[in-house]
Amino acid sequence: MKIWQYIPARLAHALAPWGLGFYAAARDYPTFNWDSFQWKNLFFANRLGIAGGVDKNATMTASWQRLGVGFLEIGTVTPMAQSPNPGKIFGRDWENRNLWNKMGFPNDGSEDVYYNLCQAKTELRIPVFVNIGKNRNSKNSDAENEYLFLIEKFQAIADAFVINVSSPNTAGLRELQTQAWLESLLRRATTVAKGKPVLVKLSPDMDEDELQGSLKGSVAGGCSGFILTNTTLSRPPNCSFAKDGGLSGKDLAEKSKNLLKLTLSALKDKRKDLLIISVGGILCPEDVAERLALGADLVQTYSGLVFYGPEIFKDTAQLMNQPDVSRNVSA
Ligand SMILES: Cc1cc2nc3c(=O)[nH]c(=O)nc-3n(C[C@H](O)[C@H](O)[C@H](O)COP(=O)(O)O)c2cc1C
């Protein structure tokens, strides 16, 4: 039982930054070392990080680092600040360990987030991915320019970029996952990023052809890896969440694993140093081990922070440092 279980979902979400601050202040773990690896010029002491949307404005980075995470992803940040979608935007199902959200990229905007990250960076010793998205009121025909603007803005300070074209909560965003659009964006994005890796975060709701198209276009455009997956529009039987909005947690796990397997198999011969990050339904240390065994290079969690709690980083380190836990189990 977690204390935050007894607080209404929206309030618990609003209080989370304070709760985390107090929680982390009483701890100062080192960045846990397990399964460390070097990718390009980035060193990952361990392979478990926080997912996009957890620290949207880069205001909690020091706390996450104190809890021992291997890497951070901040954002989604958009060019201009924007508020959440109207109405109910967050729900939890404790029994089934699922979350639901319809947030729609609420964030303080690129100017403020850039400032926050510059302040935070001096203390950070772990890689920071910057997740970027378009503003909800701008047209898809302007999206490419918005992504390029954001990459230019954060180029000097981000360790890597995540192109978010997969949130279900910004109308029309997922239409940008086509082969042609991604190839065109990535060609320009990689130039503006000046050597900083650019990854693409994909939706779990694509069919196999759509996935192949997204992968092909992104790789042809020069992307450095993929994050699989964002939240899903599908619902398990008897689900009480609204039909719109994204579901994450336990009932996303199978879809996320399936996309991971399809992606690994599609990229088998062209994998080179593409980084594959798995996220979706990773709720405990054993899930981390399973996803790595399936072939992911890194893993992330959002729902795990709610249903397991922030000790997931320490407990995962403990599990992964046991001699009989190997990530080299092939899927
Ligand atoms: C409340 C909430 C907000 C989210 N916000 C973002 C976001 O801003 N950008 C993003 O790329 N993903 C966002 N996500 C998706 C997560 O990064 C992740 O892909 C998804 O929740 C699946 O992981 P999980 O099962 O561990 O929650 C959000 C998820 C939740 C639950």
Side-chain angles (χ1 to χ4, degrees), residues 13 51-54 56 73 75-76 89-90 99-101 103 105 131 164 166 201 229-231 247-250 252 279-283 300-304:
H13 188 260
V54 172
K56 291 175 187 297
E73 182 174 328
T76 296
I89 54 164
F90 185 57
L99 294 179
W100 170 89
N101 92 89
M103 298 213 165
F105 302 161
N131 179 319
N164 185 355
S166 48
K201 182 167 180 178
T229 66
N230 215 312
T231 57
L247 179 124
S248 48
K250 184 167 163 289
L252 175 58
V279 57
I282 296 173
L283 302 179
Q300 298 175 318
T301 188
Y302 192 126
S303 297

Side-chain angles (χ1 to χ4, degrees), residues 20-309:
L20 177 74
F22 282 120
Y23 188 87
R27 288 153 185 85
D28 193 5
Y29 302 138
T31 306
F32 300 114
N33 273 298
W34 54 267
D35 226 346
S36 308
F37 89 124
Q38 181 90 26
W39 177 68
K40 299 186 186 284
N41 63 347
L42 299 177
F43 176 71
F44 297 84
N46 70 70
R47 299 185 186 230
L48 176 59
I50 54 163
V54 172
D55 192 352
K56 291 175 187 297
N57 296 311
T59 50
M60 298 178 274
T61 54
S63 294
W64 293 115
Q65 180 166 267
R66 289 171 79 94
L67 295 176
V69 307
F71 64 105
L72 297 172
E73 182 174 328
I74 62 120
T76 296
V77 53
T78 55
M80 308 301 289
Q82 57 182 27
S83 46
N85 280 322
K88 188 171 161 64
I89 54 164
F90 185 57
R92 302 167 303 185
D93 174 349
W94 283 97
E95 202 182 326
N96 297 306
R97 291 190 294 159
N98 290 323
L99 294 179
W100 170 89
N101 92 89
K102 212 179 96 177
M103 298 213 165
F105 302 161
N107 75 104
D108 293 344
S110 56
E111 195 57 45
D112 284 18
V113 178
Y114 175 75
Y115 175 82
N116 294 344
L117 190 56
C118 288
Q119 299 286 305
K121 254 293 188 131
T122 53
E123 306 286 327
L124 290 178
R125 51 180 186 268
I126 51 181
V128 181
F129 292 63
V130 177
N131 179 319
I132 56 176
K134 74 169 198 76
N135 276 115
R136 78 165 64 87
N137 289 333
S138 47
K139 298 192 193 102
N140 273 5
S141 53
D142 294 327
E144 183 163 310
N145 284 339
E146 295 205 356
Y147 285 97
L148 295 175
F149 165 84
L150 288 160
I151 291 174
E152 195 169 10
K153 175 99 196 158
F154 286 89
Q155 192 282 332
I157 192 128
D159 292 314
F161 290 97
V162 179
I163 307 276
N164 185 355
V165 279
S166 48
S167 167
N169 299 322
T170 297
L173 189 76
R174 286 179 166 192
E175 291 162 17
L176 305 177
Q177 292 181 113
T178 61
Q179 180 170 347
W181 195 87
L182 284 171
E183 180 170 349
S184 161
L185 173 73
L186 264 298
R187 281 194 192 285
R188 294 179 70 194
T190 45
T191 308
V192 178
K194 296 190 187 131
K196 297 281 174 80
V198 183
L199 287 81
V200 179
K201 182 167 180 178
L202 295 174
S203 151
D205 299 327
M206 287 189 285
D207 65 27
E208 225 179 304
D209 284 349
E210 289 168 326
L211 173 67
Q212 298 292 351
S214 298
L215 296 174
K216 265 195 202 138
S218 304
V219 171
C223 91
S224 295
F226 296 94
I227 302 193
L228 312 151
T229 66
N230 215 312
T231 57
T232 179
L233 283 167
S234 71
R235 300 287 184 266
N238 304 322
C239 179
S240 58
F241 292 139
K243 284 202 176 69
D244 55 353
L247 179 124
S248 48
K250 184 167 163 289
D251 281 295
L252 175 58
E254 280 315 308
K255 273 186 168 252
S256 173
K257 283 192 266 187
N258 189 39
L259 231 73
L260 172 64
K261 289 177 197 169
L262 289 171
T263 300
L264 289 171
S265 137
L267 298 175
K268 205 166 45 204
D269 303 323
K270 350 176 179 46
R271 176 82 194 265
K272 292 195 208 114
D273 62 350
L274 287 175
L275 189 76
I276 306 297
I277 305 183
S278 184
V279 57
I282 296 173
L283 302 179
C284 62
E286 289 74 17
D287 292 341
V288 174
E290 182 196 26
R291 233 35 97 85
L292 294 172
L294 285 174
D297 298 306
L298 299 173
V299 294
Q300 298 175 318
T301 188
Y302 192 126
S303 297
L305 302 171
V306 175
F307 297 116
Y308 190 99

